[in-house]
Every structure is written in C-alpha cells, then in structure tokens.
Amino acid sequence: MTQTSQASPLSGGESLPIARETADLRATITGWRAEGLRVGLVPTMGALHDGHLSLVRLALQKTDRVVASIFVNPTQFGPDEDFAAYPREEASDAAKLAAAGASLLYTPTVETMYPHGFSTMVTVEGVSRGLCGDRRPGHFQGVATVVTKLLMRCLPDVAVFGEKDYQQLQVLKRLARDLDIPVEILGAPVVREDDGLAMSSRNAYLTTEQRAIAPALNRTLRRVAADILGGAEVSDCLEWGIGELLKDGFSSVDYLELRDSKTLAPLDEAPDGDARLFIAAMLGKVRLIDNIGL
Ligand code: AMP
C-alpha cells in the first residue's frame, strides 16, 4: 500500500495527512473505527474559504475525526462551464483544513474516481428538477454520483454540506434516504462576506467592478422576502426583483423563485409553512447563486 503523504509543514509546525489513494483513506478510517471514534466527511472542490471551513467545524461538533475531500468533479460541469479553469490550490487548502481541525485530506484523481469503463450514474428525480437542475443539465447527476462514491469510500457517520447549495443539499438527503446509505446528511448555514455576498470559490472570478455589483443579489433577495412576508403578491415581488438586478448591472437572471424548503415544489402564494427564495444570476460570465428562508 502507498504511504499516506504529508502536506508541506505549516508555519505553526502542523501538517495535514493527505490520502491520495482510497486504500490509504480506508486504512486511516478503519484505525479510527477500531478506537471507537465517529467520523465526519466534508466533500469540497477546493479553493477553500470560510464557508467550507464552517462545514469542517460543524462536522467536528458531531464527530471525533473529520475527513475533507477535494475533488474537482468533471461529471458535474457542463461542456461550456469552468472545469478546466476551476482554481486548484491544494497546499493552502491543506493549511486551512488543518487549522480548522480536519484530521485528513482526501484527494482522489479523476482516473481513480472514473476508471476506464465506468458506466454507473446516480439520478435523483424530483428535487433535482427546476432551479439549477434545469439550468445545468446533468449537474445533479454528476454531484449525486460523486457523493455516492465518496460516501461509499469513507462510510462516515455524518456528511456536511452547505445551504449555499440548498437544492444540492436536498438532492443528497433524498439520495441517502432512497439508497439506505447509513449516514446523517447535515446542512450548514450560508457563510457570507460582510456585504452579504455568499462566499464562493467562484467569487474570485469577479472583476473589481463586478464585485461591487454582486452584493445586490442578497440585498434584492432580502427585500423580495420582506415584501412577500408583508403580504405583497408573490409574482409581482419576483418580477420586481429580476428587474432590480438587471438595473443593478447583472447580465441576466436564470431564476428567482419561491419554493417549499423541503420538497422544493414551486409556490405562487405567500407561504404559511416553510418557504425559501432561490436565485441564480449571471454577472458577465460568472454565475452566482443564493437563497434565503422566509
Ligand atoms: P464546493 O467546493 O463549491 O463544491 O462546495 C463544497 C461544500 O461547501 C458544499 O457543501 C457547499 O454547499 C459548501 N459551501 C460553499 N460555499 C459555502 C458558503 N458560503 N457557506 C456555507 N457552505 C458553503
């Protein structure tokens, strides 16, 4: 078996073990299990920010050892999306994960995740439809497939995902329930910059001018939510929000919708149960998403 490799030592003298091979990942986790420890998993695509690190901290509240994975998953990117350009920053990511308390970084390669002849994709119906599911065909199938594989490789007690990607979180909860995967799927609140912009690895693509426009996404979402709660007609509020974003400098709005927060069924009336507003909009070539509960 290959050795678990070490990231370069950090300034504080810490280093985070890195498992590049699944056998190393499994050997480490088997050792923890033998000690009776609970294991958490935080899947990411890297270029880590405080939003990702909040997932590690939440996982640590629920488990004794946290594995973070970094895998830029080709099957969840569309042909015209940013797979090749996606930022890859392993050394600084490892340092951040160590500081946040993770015990292991797992970095599988595309070749071991999807070896020659790979033929099985996981499709979650229902909650994958609409919103990003319609705008990014195949995206949730790619996410569901890679997360199934990560869960099978780690067999964690708990896996943590961000509410930033709220539809993805519902897809993964459904997946674990439907396939009887014995894991608790936990959602963590959206971590934001001071001006309200949801943290995202893709924010790094924004020009200075676009970065100044970007907070309008969350500002508008909050205003639309307040108006709906105040009794205004939902369709009028949504239309107003879209117009506002275009005025503010967004190039286009993929969707602005009110949906049931569990089933994600569209709502066209002010809710008396759990409801959430979802938005995706383009700022030049950068696609930003956000959501808030009502
Ligand atoms: P990504 O690296 O973009 O695939 O994200 C990995 C995980 O981090 C996913 O579960 C995301 O929902 C979560 N995440 C990304 N940004 C944030 C954020 N601003 N707040 C909370 N969770 C986030």
Side-chain angles (χ1 to χ4, degrees), residues 13-93:
E14 304 163 80
S15 66
L16 183 66
I18 302 179
R20 300 193 188 280
E21 307 288 338
T22 304
D24 296 330
L25 170 79
R26 289 200 164 128
T28 303
I29 292 175
T30 302
W32 292 338
R33 294 267 179 229
E35 294 176 55
L37 301 174
R38 277 167 59 80
V39 178
L41 172 67
V42 175
T44 81
M45 296 204 299
L48 302 181
H49 49 65
D50 278 350
H52 296 111
L53 302 178
S54 75
L55 310 187
V56 173
R57 291 188 203 104
L58 180 59
L60 267 176
Q61 287 172 24
K62 303 278 174 181
T63 61
D64 305 297
R65 295 285 182 275
V66 172
V67 178
S69 63
I70 297 181
F71 180 64
V72 185
N73 175 33
T75 63
Q76 71 187 71
F77 288 78
D80 299 325
E81 293 184 359
D82 54 342
F83 173 70
Y86 202 84
R88 288 156 170 92
E89 307 164 357
E90 185 184 289
S92 64
D93 285 347

Side-chain angles (χ1 to χ4, degrees), residues 1-226:
M1 191 195 299
T2 49
Q3 290 297 303
T4 304
S5 54
Q6 300 280 314
S8 44
L10 309 179
S11 50
E14 304 163 80
S15 66
L16 183 66
I18 302 179
R20 300 193 188 280
E21 307 288 338
T22 304
D24 296 330
L25 170 79
R26 289 200 164 128
T28 303
I29 292 175
T30 302
W32 292 338
R33 294 267 179 229
E35 294 176 55
L37 301 174
R38 277 167 59 80
V39 178
L41 172 67
V42 175
T44 81
M45 296 204 299
L48 302 181
H49 49 65
D50 278 350
H52 296 111
L53 302 178
S54 75
L55 310 187
V56 173
R57 291 188 203 104
L58 180 59
L60 267 176
Q61 287 172 24
K62 303 278 174 181
T63 61
D64 305 297
R65 295 285 182 275
V66 172
V67 178
S69 63
I70 297 181
F71 180 64
V72 185
N73 175 33
T75 63
Q76 71 187 71
F77 288 78
D80 299 325
E81 293 184 359
D82 54 342
F83 173 70
Y86 202 84
R88 288 156 170 92
E89 307 164 357
E90 185 184 289
S92 64
D93 285 347
K96 291 174 189 171
L97 289 168
S103 292
L104 184 69
L105 169 58
Y106 175 48
T107 59
T109 61
V110 173
E111 291 70 29
T112 59
M113 193 60 86
Y114 302 113
H116 181 68
F118 185 87
S119 315
T120 305
M121 297 298 284
V122 179
T123 305
V124 179
E125 301 287 354
V127 284
S128 293
R129 299 231 183 89
L131 304 174
C132 287
D134 283 1
R135 289 293 174 159
R136 304 182 69 189
H139 171 69
F140 286 124
Q141 193 184 48
V143 170
T145 303
V146 81
V147 171
T148 302
K149 289 183 62 100
L150 290 169
L151 291 174
M152 292 309 182
R153 287 176 174 194
C154 285
L155 298 175
D157 299 286
V158 172
V160 185
F161 299 87
E163 289 185 347
K164 154 91 186 338
D165 301 280
Y166 193 91
Q167 187 177 17
Q168 166 176 285
L169 175 63
Q170 301 313 309
V171 167
L172 298 174
K173 284 185 171 173
R174 189 75 253 169
L175 159 77
R177 269 202 300 274
D178 289 353
L179 296 185
D180 308 311
I181 302 175
V183 63
E184 183 186 358
I185 303 286
L186 263 188
V190 184
V191 176
R192 301 180 179 282
E193 305 288 356
D194 289 343
D195 58 13
L197 178 66
M199 289 189 184
S200 165
S201 308
R202 290 190 168 99
N203 292 350
Y205 297 150
L206 297 170
T207 63
T208 309
E209 193 186 329
Q210 290 169 335
R211 178 63 189 81
I213 297 170
L217 198 71
N218 183 251
R219 202 170 52 234
T220 305
L221 212 49
R222 283 186 284 121
R223 172 76 191 274
V224 170

